[in-house]
Amino acid sequence: MPTTVSGTILQTPEPGILQVLEDHVVTIDDEGVIASVVPRAGVVADRIHDTNEVLIPGLIDTHVHAPQWPQLGTALDLPLDQWLNDHTFPLEARFSDLAFAESVWASMVPSLLRNGTTAAVYFASIHEPATIALVEACIEFGQRAFIGRVVMDHPDGTPEWYRDPSPSESVDATLRSVEALRSMSDPLHLVQPMITPRFIPACSDAAMEGMGELAAATGVLVQTHCSEGDWEHGYVLERHGCTDSESLDRFGLVRPHTVLAHGTHLTGADRKLLISKGAGVAHCPLSNSYFSNAVFRARASLDSGLRVGLGSDIAGGPSASLFVQCQQAVTSSRMLEDGLVPGVSGIKHSRIDIPTAFWTATVGGADLLGIPAGLLEPGRVFDAVTLRIGEGSTVDVWDDFDDWDRTFEKLVRRSNPSNISNVWVQGKCVTNQDPT
């Protein structure tokens, strides 16, 4: 039987454009796909939201390091290479303990859902059982997910105690994890595999070549880091004599819907290459502030036609909330436009607004991944969030001067899990915190 949900919908069909559908009814079919969105007049709905609640599309986090969940918010005063070697790699190595991995996934997945993240793109660890356990957790809790076992085999770029033993084992283990995921019972088809070389400094050329061949043979989407900071960018230029984007393309890893995290050091030629291949960037504005030595040129990338989603980069970004990432995306764009040093000009026409940032967290992420989500409209899946506004929430609304544009900006800047009453994925309510 189709189900119906009514309320006022706030969403961004285009960058910078807020769409308000007051008092509408969404009809969802048995497959969790939206059949219609119409004004409520005369229509009886199964679930009616009052004027203190709004519906928004579910949020899509395009870059999450799942094993880093326990270190969220720590050691961010360190440079990236020290942060990885002293804190991150030792933590990720612990995921050889399946019980530990399962305890982390049981904490992380529900937490992200409570933050309104209906879909996430996950780097797992190098461990196959832990990777499959993450798949099982996402299916159990009802989160849409793209999951990849991390490939890292380079003897100079990884510690001896946390790496694949050989390029051939990198390929074999990745293929086994892809096949295992595809064979699992997933009635709603929520989880897809990803081919996941960590980044060029952590991978041998042979492993990267193997990943490219595997992507071509299986059709599985690819994710990796790309031109994240001075260190990575400079390393690739020295090792391969070209930029990250060019190198990844030579290995066959720049493909339709390839997710490239960060991209703060992309050149204009890099953007053209990525656009031509249908790839895009997971923009991680909060993490970039700590580790990327630059601000991602979001406005220029969007204007050029590059696919752009939004990412938390847990735990390089110390917040699990994509609302926080939207705030930081706007802040970073202002700093890029205004300049960071007195007397030194910034880059004109770089700023973005809240509706544009929210677009990257919804429609942009869906487009980057090639999935029918990100908007509440017929033909797309019903991945959605109900948010409380006004009295009893963190989003104050003043009727005499807060129109929907102002309310939406407040909603994105000030919402937290306490405001979220319901989360749906594929038409199923997976989180219900409604006090009534």
Side-chain angles (χ1 to χ4, degrees), residues 1-6 25-37 46-47 55 376 380-384 424-428:
M1 287 288 293
T3 58
T4 51
V5 176
S6 77
V25 173
V26 183
T27 301
I28 306 115
D29 69 19
D30 293 340
E31 302 299 317
V33 177
I34 298 171
S36 65
V37 181
D46 299 318
R47 176 69 165 90
L55 278 168
L376 303 183
R380 298 194 184 229
V381 292
F382 188 69
D383 290 6
W424 288 272
V425 178
Q426 198 80 25
K428 179 181 178 182

Short mmCIF file of all heavy atoms in Angstrom, two decimals, residues 1-6 25-37 46-47 55 376 380-384 424-428:
data_model
loop_
_atom_site.label_atom_id
_atom_site.label_comp_id
_atom_site.label_asym_id
_atom_site.label_seq_id
_atom_site.Cartn_x
_atom_site.Cartn_y
_atom_site.Cartn_z
N MET A 1 0.84 -1.20 0.00
CA MET A 1 0.00 0.00 0.00
C MET A 1 0.87 1.25 0.00
O MET A 1 1.82 1.35 0.78
CB MET A 1 -0.89 0.02 1.24
CG MET A 1 -2.04 -0.99 1.21
SD MET A 1 -3.30 -0.47 0.04
CE MET A 1 -3.91 1.01 0.85
N PRO A 2 0.57 2.22 -0.88
CA PRO A 2 1.31 3.49 -0.83
C PRO A 2 1.09 4.19 0.50
O PRO A 2 0.05 4.04 1.13
CB PRO A 2 0.70 4.30 -1.99
CG PRO A 2 0.07 3.28 -2.89
CD PRO A 2 -0.39 2.18 -1.99
N THR A 3 2.08 4.95 0.92
CA THR A 3 1.95 5.76 2.14
C THR A 3 2.04 7.22 1.77
O THR A 3 2.57 7.59 0.72
CB THR A 3 3.05 5.41 3.15
OG1 THR A 3 4.34 5.62 2.53
CG2 THR A 3 2.96 3.96 3.58
N THR A 4 1.51 8.07 2.65
CA THR A 4 1.50 9.50 2.38
C THR A 4 2.03 10.26 3.59
O THR A 4 1.73 9.92 4.74
CB THR A 4 0.08 9.99 2.05
OG1 THR A 4 -0.82 9.55 3.07
CG2 THR A 4 -0.38 9.47 0.70
N VAL A 5 2.79 11.29 3.31
CA VAL A 5 3.35 12.16 4.34
C VAL A 5 3.09 13.59 3.91
O VAL A 5 3.33 13.96 2.75
CB VAL A 5 4.86 11.93 4.51
CG1 VAL A 5 5.45 12.90 5.51
CG2 VAL A 5 5.16 10.49 4.92
N SER A 6 2.59 14.41 4.82
CA SER A 6 2.30 15.80 4.45
C SER A 6 3.10 16.77 5.30
O SER A 6 3.51 16.46 6.43
CB SER A 6 0.81 16.09 4.59
OG SER A 6 0.47 16.27 5.95
N VAL A 25 1.46 17.08 0.06
CA VAL A 25 1.41 15.65 0.40
C VAL A 25 2.34 14.89 -0.55
O VAL A 25 2.27 15.05 -1.77
CB VAL A 25 -0.01 15.10 0.29
CG1 VAL A 25 0.00 13.57 0.48
CG2 VAL A 25 -0.91 15.74 1.32
N VAL A 26 3.20 14.08 0.04
CA VAL A 26 4.08 13.21 -0.71
C VAL A 26 3.53 11.79 -0.64
O VAL A 26 3.31 11.26 0.45
CB VAL A 26 5.52 13.22 -0.14
CG1 VAL A 26 6.44 12.35 -0.99
CG2 VAL A 26 6.06 14.64 -0.04
N THR A 27 3.30 11.19 -1.80
CA THR A 27 2.85 9.80 -1.87
C THR A 27 4.03 8.93 -2.26
O THR A 27 4.72 9.20 -3.25
CB THR A 27 1.71 9.63 -2.88
OG1 THR A 27 0.61 10.47 -2.50
CG2 THR A 27 1.24 8.18 -2.93
N ILE A 28 4.26 7.88 -1.44
CA ILE A 28 5.41 7.00 -1.64
C ILE A 28 4.91 5.61 -1.97
O ILE A 28 4.05 5.05 -1.26
CB ILE A 28 6.29 6.95 -0.36
CG1 ILE A 28 6.68 8.37 0.06
CG2 ILE A 28 7.51 6.09 -0.56
CD1 ILE A 28 6.10 8.78 1.39
N ASP A 29 5.42 5.01 -3.05
CA ASP A 29 4.95 3.68 -3.43
C ASP A 29 5.61 2.59 -2.59
O ASP A 29 6.43 2.87 -1.71
CB ASP A 29 5.14 3.44 -4.93
CG ASP A 29 6.60 3.32 -5.37
OD1 ASP A 29 7.47 3.06 -4.51
OD2 ASP A 29 6.86 3.46 -6.58
N ASP A 30 5.26 1.35 -2.88
CA ASP A 30 5.74 0.23 -2.08
C ASP A 30 7.25 0.02 -2.19
O ASP A 30 7.84 -0.67 -1.35
CB ASP A 30 5.03 -1.06 -2.49
CG ASP A 30 3.55 -1.04 -2.14
OD1 ASP A 30 3.17 -0.23 -1.26
OD2 ASP A 30 2.78 -1.81 -2.74
N GLU A 31 7.88 0.57 -3.21
CA GLU A 31 9.32 0.45 -3.39
C GLU A 31 10.08 1.59 -2.72
O GLU A 31 11.31 1.67 -2.83
CB GLU A 31 9.66 0.42 -4.89
CG GLU A 31 8.99 -0.71 -5.66
CD GLU A 31 9.40 -2.08 -5.13
OE1 GLU A 31 10.60 -2.26 -4.86
OE2 GLU A 31 8.52 -2.95 -5.01
N GLY A 32 9.35 2.51 -2.07
CA GLY A 32 10.00 3.64 -1.43
C GLY A 32 10.30 4.78 -2.37
O GLY A 32 11.09 5.68 -2.04
N VAL A 33 9.68 4.78 -3.53
CA VAL A 33 9.87 5.82 -4.55
C VAL A 33 8.70 6.79 -4.50
O VAL A 33 7.54 6.38 -4.31
CB VAL A 33 10.01 5.20 -5.95
CG1 VAL A 33 10.12 6.28 -7.02
CG2 VAL A 33 11.22 4.27 -5.99
N ILE A 34 8.99 8.07 -4.67
CA ILE A 34 7.95 9.10 -4.63
C ILE A 34 7.08 9.01 -5.88
O ILE A 34 7.57 9.10 -7.01
CB ILE A 34 8.57 10.49 -4.50
CG1 ILE A 34 9.37 10.59 -3.20
CG2 ILE A 34 7.50 11.58 -4.57
CD1 ILE A 34 10.19 11.86 -3.08
N ALA A 35 5.77 8.84 -5.68
CA ALA A 35 4.83 8.76 -6.80
C ALA A 35 4.27 10.12 -7.17
O ALA A 35 4.03 10.41 -8.34
CB ALA A 35 3.69 7.80 -6.46
N SER A 36 4.06 10.98 -6.14
CA SER A 36 3.51 12.30 -6.42
C SER A 36 3.81 13.24 -5.26
O SER A 36 4.01 12.81 -4.13
CB SER A 36 1.99 12.24 -6.66
OG SER A 36 1.32 11.84 -5.48
N VAL A 37 3.83 14.53 -5.58
CA VAL A 37 3.95 15.60 -4.58
C VAL A 37 2.93 16.65 -4.98
O VAL A 37 3.07 17.32 -6.01
CB VAL A 37 5.36 16.22 -4.55
CG1 VAL A 37 5.44 17.31 -3.48
CG2 VAL A 37 6.42 15.15 -4.29
N ASP A 46 -1.37 9.96 5.73
CA ASP A 46 -1.10 9.06 6.85
C ASP A 46 -0.37 9.77 7.97
O ASP A 46 -0.59 9.52 9.15
CB ASP A 46 -0.27 7.86 6.38
CG ASP A 46 -0.98 7.05 5.31
OD1 ASP A 46 -2.19 6.83 5.45
OD2 ASP A 46 -0.32 6.65 4.33
N ARG A 47 0.56 10.66 7.61
CA ARG A 47 1.37 11.37 8.61
C ARG A 47 1.32 12.86 8.29
O ARG A 47 1.73 13.28 7.22
CB ARG A 47 2.83 10.87 8.56
CG ARG A 47 3.78 11.61 9.50
CD ARG A 47 3.47 11.30 10.97
NE ARG A 47 4.56 11.68 11.85
CZ ARG A 47 4.70 12.88 12.43
NH1 ARG A 47 3.80 13.82 12.18
NH2 ARG A 47 5.69 13.13 13.24
N LEU A 55 9.73 19.39 6.15
CA LEU A 55 10.37 18.25 5.51
C LEU A 55 11.51 18.74 4.63
O LEU A 55 11.34 19.71 3.86
CB LEU A 55 9.37 17.50 4.63
CG LEU A 55 8.42 16.50 5.29
CD1 LEU A 55 7.33 16.11 4.29
CD2 LEU A 55 9.18 15.26 5.73
N LEU A 376 12.73 15.92 -3.07
CA LEU A 376 11.44 15.26 -2.87
C LEU A 376 10.57 15.58 -4.07
O LEU A 376 9.84 16.58 -4.11
CB LEU A 376 10.82 15.73 -1.55
CG LEU A 376 11.69 15.51 -0.31
CD1 LEU A 376 10.95 15.94 0.95
CD2 LEU A 376 12.15 14.06 -0.20
N ARG A 380 12.03 9.99 -7.56
CA ARG A 380 13.19 9.86 -6.68
C ARG A 380 12.78 9.08 -5.43
O ARG A 380 11.60 9.02 -5.08
CB ARG A 380 13.75 11.22 -6.28
CG ARG A 380 14.26 12.02 -7.47
CD ARG A 380 15.10 13.18 -7.04
NE ARG A 380 15.51 14.00 -8.17
CZ ARG A 380 16.77 14.40 -8.42
NH1 ARG A 380 17.73 14.05 -7.58
NH2 ARG A 380 17.06 15.14 -9.46
N VAL A 381 13.77 8.50 -4.77
CA VAL A 381 13.47 7.77 -3.54
C VAL A 381 13.10 8.74 -2.43
O VAL A 381 13.57 9.89 -2.41
CB VAL A 381 14.68 6.91 -3.12
CG1 VAL A 381 14.90 5.78 -4.10
CG2 VAL A 381 15.95 7.74 -2.97
N PHE A 382 12.26 8.25 -1.52
CA PHE A 382 11.87 9.07 -0.39
C PHE A 382 12.90 8.90 0.73
O PHE A 382 12.72 8.12 1.65
CB PHE A 382 10.47 8.72 0.10
CG PHE A 382 9.94 9.69 1.15
CD1 PHE A 382 9.64 11.00 0.81
CD2 PHE A 382 9.74 9.28 2.46
CE1 PHE A 382 9.15 11.89 1.76
CE2 PHE A 382 9.24 10.15 3.42
CZ PHE A 382 8.96 11.46 3.07
N ASP A 383 13.99 9.63 0.60
CA ASP A 383 14.97 9.80 1.67
C ASP A 383 14.73 11.20 2.20
O ASP A 383 14.94 12.19 1.48
CB ASP A 383 16.40 9.69 1.14
CG ASP A 383 16.78 8.28 0.71
OD1 ASP A 383 15.90 7.40 0.71
OD2 ASP A 383 17.95 8.07 0.35
N ALA A 384 14.29 11.30 3.45
CA ALA A 384 13.80 12.59 3.94
C ALA A 384 14.02 12.73 5.44
O ALA A 384 14.22 11.75 6.16
CB ALA A 384 12.32 12.75 3.60
N TRP A 424 13.67 9.19 7.17
CA TRP A 424 13.24 8.12 6.28
C TRP A 424 14.33 7.79 5.27
O TRP A 424 15.00 8.69 4.75
CB TRP A 424 12.00 8.54 5.48
CG TRP A 424 10.71 8.64 6.23
CD1 TRP A 424 9.79 7.65 6.45
CD2 TRP A 424 10.15 9.82 6.83
NE1 TRP A 424 8.71 8.13 7.15
CE2 TRP A 424 8.91 9.47 7.39
CE3 TRP A 424 10.60 11.14 6.94
CZ2 TRP A 424 8.10 10.38 8.05
CZ3 TRP A 424 9.81 12.06 7.60
CH2 TRP A 424 8.57 11.67 8.16
N VAL A 425 14.47 6.52 4.97
CA VAL A 425 15.33 6.06 3.89
C VAL A 425 14.53 5.05 3.06
O VAL A 425 13.97 4.10 3.60
CB VAL A 425 16.62 5.40 4.41
CG1 VAL A 425 17.47 4.87 3.25
CG2 VAL A 425 17.43 6.39 5.25
N GLN A 426 14.44 5.32 1.77
CA GLN A 426 13.68 4.46 0.85
C GLN A 426 12.25 4.27 1.35
O GLN A 426 11.66 3.19 1.26
CB GLN A 426 14.38 3.10 0.68
CG GLN A 426 13.96 2.30 -0.53
CD GLN A 426 14.62 2.75 -1.82
OE1 GLN A 426 15.70 3.32 -1.80
NE2 GLN A 426 14.00 2.49 -2.95
N GLY A 427 11.67 5.34 1.89
CA GLY A 427 10.28 5.31 2.33
C GLY A 427 10.05 4.69 3.68
O GLY A 427 8.92 4.66 4.18
N LYS A 428 11.12 4.21 4.33
CA LYS A 428 10.99 3.57 5.64
C LYS A 428 11.49 4.51 6.72
O LYS A 428 12.60 5.09 6.61
CB LYS A 428 11.79 2.27 5.67
CG LYS A 428 11.73 1.53 6.99
CD LYS A 428 12.58 0.27 6.94
CE LYS A 428 12.57 -0.46 8.28
NZ LYS A 428 13.44 -1.66 8.28
#
